[in-house]
Amino acid sequence: MEYLTVYDLVWINSAVTGKVNPYNYVTLEAAMAGQYSYGQSQDVPTQAANLLERLLTRKSYQSGNRRTALIATLTFLNANGYDTRASDAEAAEIVRAVDVRQTTAPDAIARLAAPAAQPLTGVTLRKLIAHECNAHCDALKLLAEND
């Protein structure tokens, strides 16, 4: 299993917003811990759902919480054998729906990703994060408003 650290999450937020934002370390650490999903630590969709939900409900950053949640969740999923299956427009809408509690995080993960035909190997998390930011720039633009 590949896990994102608090520092990875800070780096993601800086990458998606283009600036260093103040953040609450305690809430960010609690959000990061969601990906471990104690007792179900090999259930990637559940772990991704926990990460997504915690990043959106805890609002650790001054700005960029939705964008950070999207890229962090996609990075976690892709690093652990899943491919993104939603378009950028769909991904942005899915993240917004979880944020305003119109859908659950587990349902969001089922719509966002599916097991990969060929899981990634040998890619560092930082390279994967950069790839996700570049691959989903339209979703990031859609999520930027009021984020």
Side-chain angles (χ1 to χ4, degrees):
M1 291 293 293
E2 296 288 335
Y3 297 103
L4 297 165
T5 67
V6 167
Y7 304 106
D8 292 326
L9 296 173
V10 170
W11 190 72
I12 290 169
N13 180 264
S14 296
V16 300
T17 64
K19 62 183 180 177
V20 177
N21 287 293
Y23 61 91
N24 181 313
Y25 185 85
V26 173
T27 60
L28 186 57
E29 185 177 44
M32 179 273 309
Q35 66 191 316
Y36 293 102
S37 190
Y38 299 107
Q40 298 178 31
S41 62
Q42 297 299 311
D43 184 348
V44 173
T46 296
Q47 292 168 261
N50 289 341
L51 178 64
L52 176 63
E53 183 172 17
R54 287 183 181 195
L55 285 168
L56 291 171
T57 60
R58 296 175 193 256
K59 308 281 190 228
S60 299
Y61 302 99
Q62 183 176 342
S63 68
N65 289 289
R66 288 178 178 172
R67 290 172 283 170
T68 301
L70 173 66
I71 296 301
T73 302
L74 293 179
T75 299
F76 177 79
L77 286 163
N78 284 279
N80 290 295
Y82 282 72
D83 279 335
T84 304
R85 69 180 197 183
S87 70
D88 279 5
E90 292 168 326
E93 184 51 41
I94 290 165
V95 169
R96 274 196 204 99
V98 174
D99 191 30
V100 298
R101 294 175 180 80
Q102 289 178 336
T103 193
T104 66
D107 287 344
I109 298 304
R111 293 174 55 204
L112 277 174
Q118 277 194 284
L120 295 175
T121 57
V123 179
T124 67
L125 279 177
R126 288 292 170 107
K127 285 184 180 179
L128 185 53
I129 290 166
H131 167 77
E132 293 299 333
C133 288
N134 290 326
H136 302 290
C137 60
D138 289 339
L140 294 173
K141 288 176 189 173
L142 291 168
L143 289 171
E145 187 176 336
N146 298 321
D147 184 29

